Amino acid sequence: MSAIYSRIIGTGSYLPAKVLTNADLAGSVDTSDEWIQQRTGIRERHIAADNEKSSDLALQASRRALEMAGINADQLGLIIVATTTPDMVFPSTACILQSKLGVKNMPAFDVQAVCSGFVYALNTADLYMKSGQYEYILVVGAEVYSRILDWSDRGTCVLFGDGAGAVVLKRSSTPGILASRLHADGSHADILSVPGQVCRGAVSGTPLLQMDGGAVFKFAVKVLEEVALETLEAAGLQKTDIDWLIPHQANIRIIQATAKKLGMTMERVVTTVDRHANTSAASVPLALDEAVRDGRIREGHKVMLEGVGGGFTWGAVLLQW
Ligand code: UT7
């Protein structure tokens, strides 16, 4: 039997209509467009409407990915949603998305790996695909971080945005995903967290994002290089083989430092952080969709996707387009 690969045959994304600029934020917290752009590269971010949930953003992105793939939702064998901002405690956002897509019966579940969520979900989907049980799998990253931010904390509220990205994977005898590697180190849980929960009908702890920005920055730059090299080695490839790097979009300085360590010029790095800010699990599929639709990523290109975030979690997926 020939090897089974997962090939992405459709991508899609969705950004809520409302745009919040740095200047808008400077009207409510002690910050400036100049500070935010210099330290992060962010100019603006999208914010979900009050009635928009992660599943609504996921639905729009999924419809676009299914349309590009040329398949109907009822052909999907599995649905995986990566999110840190689920619609509710349960059911999972994946089950809610399945219902909104108007289909049933195929398994659907969420992956919670914060900003590495999409890479975790893609790796998981690839391993399911290799079982031979499925022909099409939908993988989505969807987030409404605006709901878990302290809008009076200038150290965090300027950094994040809302959005969703999706891909449709197809079982194939040609590559496809070449290699992927995941990691976690729970001992760093406190440098990036939302340390709250629903307890006996009330919120206990702090249901808003807290971060030690400097510690996160250093950790991210270190592990994004390490896991890229590890994934290249697993695929038997070199740094120079990468056509496109699509790292998690948290801060342009983290992205530039990672590209430099991998010996890549910024022309080969896809960046959306200036317009989207950090959309956590949605950032990588949002950037991927943009580069696929504008024609930068073409058949045969090797693309390195990388995630890093709370947990701490990190990982990479290397694929051939
Ligand atoms: O998905 C992973 C999620 N998180 C990240 O990736 C974040 C990683 N970390 C970062 O991106 C950066 O560390 C930040 C952008 C958060 C901060 O940049 P920095 O260069 O590390 O700045 P800093 O934390 O050293 O802060 C410098 C100064 C401080 O003032 P003092 O103490 O020097 O007087 C901050 O209070 O900047 C101040 N500051 C701000 N000033 C204006 C912090 N936030 C702001 C702000 N506007 N929004």
Side-chain angles (χ1 to χ4, degrees):
M1 208 181 90
S2 62
I4 295 175
Y5 291 98
S6 309
R7 276 190 75 82
I8 296 177
I9 59 160
T11 64
S13 59
Y14 175 77
L15 291 158
K18 183 180 169 187
V19 173
L20 188 70
T21 65
N22 292 346
D24 294 333
L25 279 166
S28 55
V29 285
D30 182 13
T31 191
S32 65
D33 178 41
E34 191 194 1
W35 190 96
I36 300 171
Q37 286 212 42
Q38 268 182 11
R39 301 293 178 115
T40 71
I42 298 166
R43 289 190 283 118
E44 58 191 32
R45 70 286 291 142
H46 290 252
I47 303 293
D50 287 347
N51 62 353
E52 275 183 318
K53 296 178 177 162
S54 285
S55 65
D56 298 308
L57 276 51
L59 177 65
Q60 301 301 334
S62 300
R63 282 189 177 143
R64 290 169 189 177
L66 287 163
E67 189 185 7
M68 189 192 287
I71 67 159
N72 296 318
D74 61 8
Q75 292 174 264
L76 294 169
L78 173 65
I79 297 172
I80 307 178
V81 174
T83 186
T84 313
T85 48
D87 288 16
M88 52 183 84
V89 173
F90 72 80
S92 70
T93 304
C95 285
I96 298 168
L97 171 65
Q98 184 203 51
S99 169
K100 288 183 177 174
L101 284 167
V103 294
K104 53 178 75 171
N105 289 329
M106 74 285 284
F109 61 87
D110 285 2
V111 164
Q112 159 58 303
V114 197
C115 303
S116 311
F118 183 76
V119 165
Y120 261 64
L122 200 53
N123 164 283
T124 305
D126 183 43
L127 297 178
Y128 269 93
M129 190 69 93
K130 285 184 160 53
S131 77
Q133 218 183 319
Y134 304 105
E135 187 171 4
Y136 298 106
I137 302 179
L138 177 67
V139 182
V140 188
E143 301 281 14
V144 284
Y145 260 54
S146 58
R147 309 267 158 81
I148 56 166
L149 297 175
D150 176 352
W151 287 100
S152 67
D153 174 16
R154 68 176 184 175
T156 53
C157 75
V158 303
L159 303 175
F160 296 89
D162 301 336
V167 301
V168 174
L169 296 176
K170 180 179 168 39
R171 187 174 64 211
S172 169
S173 56
T174 53
I177 293 177
L178 301 169
S180 57
R181 290 291 182 270
L182 303 181
H183 294 279
D185 181 350
S187 70
H188 297 290
D190 56 332
I191 62 172
L192 180 55
S193 64
V194 178
Q197 59 169 296
V198 178
C199 180
R200 298 192 185 92
V203 171
S204 90
T206 306
L208 299 173
L209 187 144
Q210 300 181 349
M211 181 177 70
D212 175 346
V216 171
F217 194 105
K218 284 190 208 109
F219 198 92
V221 173
K222 177 175 170 290
V223 298
L224 286 173
E225 183 202 11
E226 283 173 5
V227 77
L229 296 178
E230 184 190 359
T231 308
L232 281 168
E233 192 182 339
L237 294 172
Q238 315 289 323
K239 287 193 255 191
T240 48
D241 291 319
I242 305 174
D243 293 294
W244 293 105
L245 177 66
I246 308 188
H248 171 48
Q249 307 284 315
N251 183 321
I252 195 69
R253 289 156 55 214
I254 296 177
I255 296 173
Q256 286 163 341
T258 303
K260 196 172 168 198
K261 286 186 168 201
L262 294 175
M264 298 181 72
T265 62
M266 287 302 285
E267 283 75 53
R268 290 196 289 140
V269 182
V270 180
T271 59
T272 54
V273 67
D274 55 332
R275 288 155 292 129
H276 301 174
N278 181 346
T279 57
S280 193
S283 90
V284 169
L286 269 161
L288 175 66
D289 184 48
E290 185 170 294
V292 168
R293 285 180 189 264
D294 69 19
R296 270 177 289 174
I297 296 179
R298 292 196 302 274
E299 200 175 343
H301 281 176
K302 294 194 176 59
V303 185
M304 176 73 81
L305 311 178
E306 291 198 273
V308 59
F312 239 72
T313 57
W314 64 103
V317 175
L318 178 62
L319 51 92
Q320 183 168 310
W321 203 255

